[in-house]
Amino acid sequence: GGSHQLIIGPLGALTTLQYNLTAAPASQPRNCLYAQIIAISTCSVLHRFESLNRFQRAALAPTIVNTVTAKLGIIHPPSGAAAAVFAYQKFSQVDELLFLLGVVISTFIAVIINNLSDRRQYPSTSWAVFKVVFS
C-alpha cells in the first residue's frame, strides 16, 4: 500500500450536512472549503510549537478553528473535527491536500446530486469570499 492517508471522519460529517441540511449555512460549499483550509492551516501552525503535546494540540485546534470561523461567518462543524484529527497526529502536506481534494470532490458530487431533485437546491448561498463581521 501507499504511504498516504485519507482522513474519512470529517468527510462523513461533511456529507451528512450536504445531503441532509442542504439549506443550512454550515453546509454551504464556501463554508466547507474555507473552514477546512483554516483547520488544516491552524494545525500546521500548532505542530510548530514543539512544547505542545498531541493532547494539548487536539484541544487547542478546534477551539481556535471554531472561534476564527465564527468570527469570519463561515461556521462548519466538520472543520472542528478535522482540526482535532490533524492536530492529534502530524500528517504530510500530501495527506492534507488529499483531504482538501476529498472536500472538493464531495462538494462537487453533492451539487450535482442535490440539484437533480426539484425539492432541493444546493448550494443555497453565494460563493462570495468572506463576510467578516466585526462586532
Side-chain angles (χ1 to χ4, degrees):
S3 62
H4 298 293
Q5 303 176 54
L6 178 59
I7 308 307
I8 299 296
L11 291 176
L14 168 64
T15 58
T16 300
L17 287 175
Q18 290 175 328
Y19 293 101
N20 295 306
L21 297 171
T22 57
S27 66
Q28 298 308 304
R30 175 191 63 197
N31 292 29
C32 298
L33 185 60
Y34 294 150
Q36 296 293 9
I37 290 171
I38 290 169
I40 290 174
S41 300
T42 299
C43 292
S44 293
V45 170
L46 288 176
H47 276 286
R48 295 179 192 269
F49 292 96
E50 295 177 9
S51 61
L52 294 175
N53 66 39
R54 65 177 48 200
F55 301 107
Q56 292 167 326
R57 286 191 312 267
L60 281 172
T63 304
I64 294 167
V65 169
N66 291 336
T67 301
V68 170
T69 57
K71 189 67 173 169
L72 294 174
I74 53 170
I75 294 172
H76 180 66
S79 67
V85 170
F86 282 98
Y88 187 78
Q89 179 180 338
K90 179 70 174 149
F91 291 91
S92 71
Q93 288 182 338
V94 172
D95 293 334
E96 294 169 351
L97 291 174
L98 281 173
F99 176 74
L100 289 176
L101 179 62
V103 171
V104 170
I105 290 170
S106 174
T107 302
F108 181 73
I109 292 170
V111 168
I112 292 170
I113 291 174
N114 281 316
N115 287 308
L116 290 174
S117 171
D118 292 337
R119 296 180 294 162
R120 294 182 183 203
Q121 177 185 348
Y122 183 76
S124 63
T125 60
S126 71
W127 280 71
V129 182
F130 293 118
K131 179 183 177 184
V132 180
V133 179
F134 295 102
S135 52

